[in-house]
Amino acid sequence: QVQVVESGGGSVQAGGSLRLSCTASGFIESEHLIGWFRQAPGKEREGVACIYNRDDRTYYADSVKGRFTAFADSAKRTLSLQMDNLKPEDAGTYYCGARNGWYVGGCLSNDAMSYWGEGTLVTISS
């Protein structure tokens, strides 16, 4: 059973910054995915940033490119998300997800992750 633990989040004014961190443990395969997703009230969950442990790329949603930076530890079991220049539309509950193996639809897909953290709230005031 993969366990996912998140930290960070909070409240900030528009234009400010926050950092989230996620650690996943208990992977049973040599390949895995870790990613950050978010869900605003009344909206579907969407992928924000994710990694695949077998390559060096970080995948981002178009809406956060240039503002958010995700970086992983050497084992790619911890994924931190630095969020800069936050906008009101970035508010919501942020979830970290993880998966044993690869997902053919890509790691930003809503179906990519099998295990989830409890979520952390990000509030942005304008």
Side-chain angles (χ1 to χ4, degrees):
Q1 178 94 3
V2 176
Q3 294 186 325
V4 181
V5 178
E6 304 140 337
S7 63
S11 298
V12 67
Q13 288 188 327
S17 299
L18 285 173
R19 178 176 291 192
L20 308 179
S21 186
C22 168
T23 299
S25 60
F27 291 114
I28 61 173
E29 296 185 18
S30 60
E31 299 175 303
H32 64 258
L33 305 175
I34 300 179
W36 281 100
F37 292 70
R38 67 186 181 187
Q39 187 168 20
K43 294 187 177 181
E44 291 189 356
R45 185 174 58 199
E46 61 175 349
V48 175
C50 59
I51 61 168
Y52 170 51
N53 73 318
R54 289 297 188 91
D55 70 32
D56 293 327
R57 291 186 59 185
T58 303
Y59 301 85
Y60 293 98
D62 289 341
S63 60
V64 305
K65 286 180 180 177
R67 301 187 298 119
F68 289 15
T69 305
F71 48 97
D73 67 337
S74 59
K76 297 188 179 179
R77 298 187 180 195
T78 296
L79 186 66
S80 296
L81 185 67
Q82 176 66 35
M83 306 185 292
D84 297 319
N85 190 22
L86 283 161
K87 302 177 181 180
E89 54 264 40
D90 294 318
T93 300
Y94 281 68
Y95 298 91
C96 183
R99 180 188 184 95
N100 281 304
W102 171 249
Y103 181 70
V104 66
C107 61
L108 288 175
S109 170
N110 276 330
D111 298 325
M113 306 301 172
S114 304
Y115 302 93
W116 296 94
E118 295 184 351
T120 184
L121 185 63
V122 171
T123 303
I124 300 164
S125 58
S126 57

